[in-house]
Amino acid sequence: MGVVMAIDDYYLTFDKLTDFAGGTNFVLLAIFTLGISGQHHARQIVCSVFLAVWAARLSGFLLFRILKTGTDSRFDDKRDKFFAFLGFWIFQMVWVWTVSLPVTVLNSPNITQFPQPDFGTGRDIAGVIFFGIGFLMESIADIQKFRFREANKDRKAICGGGLFSWTRHPNYFGEILVQFGIYMTAVSPAAYDGYVTGQPRVALNTTIVGAFFLTFLLMFVSGLNLQERPAAKKRYDNFLNWQQYHGYLERTSILIPFPPQIYVHLPVFLKRTLFLEFPIYVFDPEVHSEDAIERRRVQGERRDAGDRLEGDVSRSP
């Protein structure tokens, strides 16, 4: 399905299918693996429904948003490069397969052949709580951000209300909670003695790679790294309310929700470590602004010119 969607999207220049197709793949995978599992324990049904509901809401929201905006700027540099565009879709398939691992492995006949503890274990409850909080947080954050953008066409405006007053990326944090919640529930049969054993138990435990993979993507591939420093640089270079935005950065946690009244007074060391605001996200005007880049370029040209002059003098008779 992913390859068909990629070809169709490329030739039709149809941005509206992109994220919608990614989300529906999660739904189809959850339904398909549950259908062929041979058993339908309550835990399988809950985890499959969780994955499908999360993906359906996300893809539905992204489809609604792209219908309102009309295009997806992520593909502006890929539309005329088929293999680059196809590469994105292949990566999306890997994303779907990896993040779905807790559900697909739980639904595997290699797992369902074993007895399972009744639904309601401590891990089940913790997983449901994680999922519930994460799902609500991601959904509310998406709505708040969308309404903010609809009501504030001025590029100087700062989305710093609601959940965004406690974390700069509440939707990302919610999405991470959702995936760890699904994993915690799915892994229950392997967490207690007398149920899933051997290699199937190892396989079920290892599916935590799905939640970690999603976290890695959001932090280092397609999330924070593409938004934090570039957004700050854009505001600074274009005089888009930089001072007020800088204040927002200082008092608001980058990912983990935390009271802004306390966060603003925390030592920089804690912000850069415990609260995950790593140096790769931080914008320093003296280093990253266009003025700073231009100064370094001019200094480099002068240095090169001086070196060439010195070389000419040393070679002269």
Side-chain angles (χ1 to χ4, degrees):
M1 178 180 176
V3 174
V4 173
M5 285 285 194
I7 296 172
D8 182 53
D9 204 18
Y10 179 78
Y11 284 109
L12 295 180
T13 318
F14 194 25
D15 289 353
K16 299 173 183 63
L17 288 177
T18 305
D19 288 314
F20 183 73
T24 53
N25 283 336
F26 280 106
V27 177
L28 293 175
L29 197 56
I31 294 173
F32 176 73
T33 56
L34 181 63
I36 65 170
S37 65
Q39 299 287 338
H40 296 124
H41 298 290
R43 185 172 294 103
Q44 291 176 262
I45 297 173
V46 169
C47 288
S48 299
V49 168
F50 277 1
L51 183 65
V53 167
W54 163 76
R57 187 217 67 86
L58 180 61
S59 59
F61 171 76
L62 294 175
L63 177 62
F64 169 77
R65 190 177 66 181
I66 199 67
L67 287 172
K68 295 284 288 186
T69 59
T71 58
D72 193 331
S73 59
R74 291 175 302 169
F75 304 110
D76 289 346
D77 61 343
K78 298 181 178 67
R79 284 298 180 189
D80 298 327
K81 302 173 183 177
F82 176 76
F83 289 105
F85 190 67
L86 182 62
F88 170 85
W89 278 85
I90 293 174
F91 181 79
Q92 190 179 67
M93 293 178 218
V94 174
W95 165 62
V96 172
W97 180 81
T98 307
V99 174
S100 297
L101 277 175
V103 171
T104 55
V105 173
L106 177 66
N107 288 339
S108 166
N110 290 329
I111 299 295
T112 58
Q113 66 177 323
F114 293 93
Q116 291 197 24
D118 292 335
F119 184 79
T121 67
R123 289 177 181 268
D124 291 333
I125 295 172
V128 170
I129 292 173
F130 268 52
F131 177 87
I133 294 174
F135 186 80
L136 285 175
M137 195 169 187
E138 185 181 10
S139 303
I140 293 171
D142 283 341
I143 294 172
Q144 288 179 341
K145 190 65 171 283
F146 180 79
R147 286 181 174 176
F148 170 83
R149 287 178 173 171
E150 287 292 297
N152 297 273
K153 301 302 182 181
D154 184 0
R155 294 191 301 164
K156 293 183 179 181
I158 299 171
C159 183
L163 293 175
F164 290 88
S165 64
W166 282 60
T167 164
R168 305 201 295 264
H169 300 279
N171 50 337
Y172 289 170
F173 185 77
E175 190 166 347
I176 291 169
L177 282 185
V178 163
Q179 298 307 326
F180 275 100
I182 293 175
Y183 166 76
M184 290 176 69
T185 302
V187 80
S188 285
Y192 301 95
D193 293 333
Y195 297 99
V196 179
T197 59
Q199 288 301 315
R201 182 177 188 178
V202 173
L204 196 53
N205 280 318
T206 331
T207 60
I208 196 173
V209 69
F212 278 120
F213 181 68
L214 176 81
T215 304
F216 177 79
L217 291 182
L218 292 179
M219 292 188 67
F220 303 110
V221 179
S222 60
L224 300 181
N225 61 309
L226 298 183
Q227 296 187 38
E228 280 296 311
R229 184 182 290 175
K233 182 180 186 302
K234 182 177 180 180
R235 284 185 175 271
Y236 183 88
D237 289 338
N238 295 283
F239 306 100
L240 298 175
N241 207 3
W242 164 248
Q243 290 300 328
Q244 187 175 347
Y245 186 71
H246 181 260
Y248 173 69
L249 298 180
E250 289 294 308
R251 68 177 180 270
T252 311
S253 170
I254 188 173
L255 185 63
I256 303 171
F258 203 75
Q261 300 87 347
I262 301 176
Y263 187 82
V264 69
H265 298 295
L266 292 179
V268 173
F269 172 76
L270 286 180
K271 293 181 179 181
R272 298 290 186 270
T273 55
L274 182 63
F275 286 90
L276 309 178
E277 192 167 355
F278 302 135
I280 61 171
Y281 306 134
V282 179
F283 171 75
D284 183 353
E286 297 300 319
V287 177
H288 306 119
S289 68
E290 285 300 317
D291 289 342
I293 294 172
E294 179 63 17
R295 283 197 302 269
R296 289 197 297 272
R297 185 188 68 79
V298 171
Q299 290 171 358
E301 289 179 351
R302 289 175 178 173
R303 191 164 47 247
D304 292 342
D307 291 342
R308 287 195 298 269
L309 180 60
E310 183 177 342
D312 292 342
V313 171
S314 64
R315 287 194 296 269
S316 62

